[in-house]
Amino acid sequence: MMQNIIIGQYVPGQSFIHKLDPRAKLLTAFLFVIIVFLANNWLTYALLGAFTLIAVFVSRLPLRYIYNGLKPILLVIILTFLLHVFLTKEGPLLFDFGFLEVYEGGVKQGVFISLRLLFLIMITSLLTLTTTPIDITVGIESLLGPMKKIGLPVHEFALMMSIALRFIPTLLEETEKIMKAQSARGAQFSSGPIKERLKSIVPLLVPLFVSAFKRAEDLAMAMEARGYRGGEGRTSIRLLKWSGKDTTLFIILLMLSVGLLLLRS
């Protein structure tokens, strides 16, 4: 399951989304997180779903790859749906299972919240799948450039975000290796009583933290050996250029926002 986590990974390509300015993709992901909360009925969620599916299609990423990447969060989405179904007491009563009652409002709310979570994860995953960590760093630094005037360490913050994204797949890969090593020694991570499986996680965390700190130390030494001294006075080899494609993306996002406002009940 660890290798199916797609957040933080990059897939090379020549699609429309791959060629967009990283600043445009960052702003789009940020604005999408905001406008997704404007949806409150079936039409608005259908509009968000259409936008998300079109974005996935335009990215030319393998659908099986994206599907496998969503598998680890399906349990969270299903649990979110069930919690709303059985805990929200709104609207007409649909089913009565004794101590469990299912209302129309609970089912509706569960579907909406689950779809909202799914759309957010897919759009943010597309950001990292179609943008290299270096481009994300340069994009964040460019967008936060005006904050340098108030003393905010923009370059260091952007670098920190980029390293964090890049280390997600690395740590997941390390976790999988440790789990296989522990399983070979008799640890049970997917079978047996829950109490025993929880106990087996403790021996997993210790070597994982040790490995993470070791990688962080190696990275710090490598940066220091190459003369890294922060962002002051540094220039970038990557020059960002805003094009008509980026403007088109913002027009589409603006039309999506207007559509959501018009279709709200």
Side-chain angles (χ1 to χ4, degrees):
M1 181 179 293
M2 290 297 175
Q3 67 271 21
N4 290 330
I5 303 290
I6 58 178
I7 296 179
Q9 299 187 27
Y10 170 70
V11 179
Q14 297 296 323
S15 68
F16 173 83
I17 297 182
H18 279 85
K19 296 179 181 179
L20 288 172
D21 190 295
R23 294 171 296 181
K25 288 185 277 189
L26 286 167
L27 288 174
T28 298
F30 176 75
L31 293 177
F32 186 85
V33 172
I34 297 176
I35 65 176
V36 75
F37 291 97
L38 296 177
N40 64 350
N41 56 45
W42 295 107
L43 287 177
T44 53
Y45 275 96
L47 188 61
L48 286 174
F51 176 83
T52 304
L53 291 178
I54 291 175
V56 172
F57 176 77
V58 173
S59 68
R60 298 181 184 177
L61 296 172
L63 295 180
R64 182 178 297 274
Y65 181 80
I66 296 178
Y67 171 72
N68 291 334
L70 292 176
K71 282 183 180 180
I73 66 164
L74 288 180
L75 180 61
V76 177
I77 295 177
I78 293 175
L79 180 61
T80 301
F81 172 76
L82 293 177
L83 286 175
H84 283 86
V85 166
F86 293 117
L87 297 181
T88 303
K89 311 295 183 180
E90 297 179 0
L93 179 64
L94 298 179
F95 303 102
D96 187 357
F97 301 101
F99 65 95
L100 293 178
E101 297 178 340
V102 177
Y103 290 82
E104 180 180 344
V107 175
K108 182 178 178 182
Q109 190 72 7
V111 172
F112 286 172
I113 298 300
S114 300
L115 288 176
R116 182 180 297 173
L117 180 61
L118 180 62
F119 295 156
L120 288 174
I121 292 175
M122 291 184 68
I123 291 297
T124 52
S125 297
L126 283 180
L127 170 64
T128 57
L129 288 172
T130 60
T131 314
T132 63
I134 296 178
D135 286 339
I136 292 179
T137 301
V138 177
I140 294 177
E141 185 175 0
S142 177
L143 291 175
L144 298 179
M147 304 298 290
K148 293 180 180 179
K149 297 180 179 179
I150 60 175
L152 182 69
V154 173
H155 177 80
E156 287 75 10
F157 176 77
L159 180 65
M160 177 184 64
M161 294 291 294
S162 176
I163 293 175
L165 288 174
R166 178 61 186 87
F167 262 62
I168 290 176
T170 302
L171 291 179
L172 290 176
E173 181 181 355
E174 189 71 24
T175 302
E176 186 176 13
K177 291 180 180 179
I178 297 174
M179 288 180 65
K180 289 181 178 179
Q182 296 287 355
S183 298
R185 291 168 174 80
Q188 298 292 334
F189 295 102
S190 58
S191 61
I194 296 180
K195 183 178 180 180
E196 295 299 324
R197 279 186 279 176
L198 290 176
K199 287 183 178 179
S200 63
I201 295 179
V202 178
L204 176 67
L205 295 177
V206 175
L208 180 61
F209 275 104
V210 172
S211 175
F213 286 125
K214 182 66 168 61
R215 287 182 179 273
E217 183 181 9
D218 292 342
L219 178 61
M221 293 179 63
M223 294 174 65
E224 185 176 356
R226 288 166 173 79
Y228 177 77
R229 293 295 183 272
E232 186 176 355
R234 292 175 61 90
T235 58
S236 176
I237 194 174
R238 294 177 179 265
L239 300 178
L240 302 181
K241 184 178 180 180
W242 191 277
S243 64
K245 295 179 181 180
D246 307 301
T247 304
T248 301
L249 177 62
F250 261 86
I251 293 176
I252 295 174
L253 196 65
L254 179 61
M255 294 173 60
L256 176 65
S257 303
V258 174
L260 291 176
L261 290 173
L262 293 177
L263 294 176
R264 279 173 59 88
S265 58

